[in-house]
Amino acid sequence: MREVDNLKNVINVAILGATGYTGIELIRLLLPHPNYRIVCLTSDTKAGKTMEEIFPHLNSFNLPSLVKVDNIDFSNIDAIFCCVPHGTTQDIIAQIPKDIKICDLSADFRFEDVNLYEKTYGVKHTQEMLQKEAIYGLTEIYRKDIKGASLVACPGCYPTSVLLPLLPLVKNKIIKMDNIIVDSKSGVSGAGRSLRESLLFSEVSDGFSAYGMVKHRHKPEIISQLMNFSESKVLDFTFTPHLLPTKRGILSTIYFDSKSEFSFRDVNDCLKEYYANDPFVHLIENNQAPSTNDVRGSNLCKFSVFFDEQ
């Protein structure tokens, strides 16, 4: 990474695809941060406009006007957040100077196995050498690797909600791998900002439905990460996502069997100890279950453990 402005200790940041939900969320998080300065915002469909024209609530922040990706001036950029759709990210990232840190929020670099990516997303992976440099961006699990990475592949939304509770238990060989069931629910914004009839208010409001049964794109991502830490070569994993009539938030209910030598307390203590120093991951005790309202608009992931004797 090129030198940061030492006088102000500021990292100059560019956000590619700044007008989508992911881009807007990044702007919200970065604006109040004392160590980041947004110097470039891109949108190929809205280039030439200001952010306040599209999002009036941003009119007092003096953000840079939108430009096309091809018109980026990289000379004053230290880090880039890439928020463009999967399948388009690879070639964009390949053109970015090597001394700039990249955080990719698409799915393009989440799979170590390029063939699995192509099978899952139906898109040719054109940057296999870059894939070898990418680190899976689940910070609490891969923090040490992420610190030295030049390309970080941010996890999917559902995988984050599933892997944070499960991976410590898999790493510590506490749970069985032959019967894991995940029942997940997501708000509508998880599908992105593009217009789709099935996501119109009148289609979603007052309803609740499952989708992507058996073949949701996040299932292979979750499985590949679980197998990275499992001593077993067999995984029986069921994943069913549901669409909630809310704007944002994810709730995942995860069912698994612990090995006979481990108790409920062992499971609870494992998670409590693993995340003791992680400010954004909270284990709730005292027989209380988390709600999406508990984490709305924050960086937090909250979970709790319950034991069913039957």
Side-chain angles (χ1 to χ4, degrees), residues 172-216:
N172 285 280
K173 305 174 183 178
I174 289 176
I175 67 174
K176 297 179 181 179
M177 303 296 287
D178 60 354
N179 188 28
I180 299 175
I181 300 171
V182 177
D183 179 350
S184 291
K185 298 97 174 168
S186 170
V188 182
S189 62
R193 202 161 179 244
S194 299
L195 180 63
R196 283 187 243 174
E197 183 177 313
S198 61
L199 300 178
L200 294 173
F201 177 80
S202 57
E203 301 292 332
V204 175
S205 180
D206 299 324
F208 179 47
S209 60
Y211 69 100
M213 281 75 75
V214 183
K215 56 182 180 180
H216 192 278

Side-chain angles (χ1 to χ4, degrees), residues 24 77-78 128 166 238 240:
I24 289 299
I77 295 173
D78 303 302
E128 191 167 350
L166 281 184
T238 303
T240 305

Side-chain angles (χ1 to χ4, degrees), residues 210-228:
Y211 69 100
M213 281 75 75
V214 183
K215 56 182 180 180
H216 192 278
R217 288 169 170 173
H218 284 169
K219 183 176 181 179
E221 180 182 339
I222 297 170
I223 290 174
S224 63
Q225 288 298 319
L226 291 175
M227 295 306 290
N228 279 348

Side-chain angles (χ1 to χ4, degrees), residues 73-130:
D73 178 6
F74 292 108
S75 63
N76 192 36
I77 295 173
D78 303 302
I80 287 178
F81 291 93
C82 197
C83 308
V84 299
H86 72 267
T88 62
T89 304
Q90 302 161 42
D91 292 337
I92 291 174
I93 289 179
Q95 304 304 314
I96 295 173
K98 297 296 183 184
D99 58 342
I100 296 178
K101 295 270 190 179
I102 302 169
C103 193
D104 179 30
L105 288 97
S106 80
D108 280 8
F109 293 96
R110 291 175 188 165
F111 292 85
E112 294 177 16
D113 183 348
V114 169
N115 294 324
L116 181 57
Y117 166 81
E118 293 178 347
K119 180 180 178 182
T120 302
Y121 284 88
V123 177
K124 178 70 176 174
H125 201 296
T126 62
Q127 302 296 332
E128 191 167 350
M129 294 305 295
L130 269 177

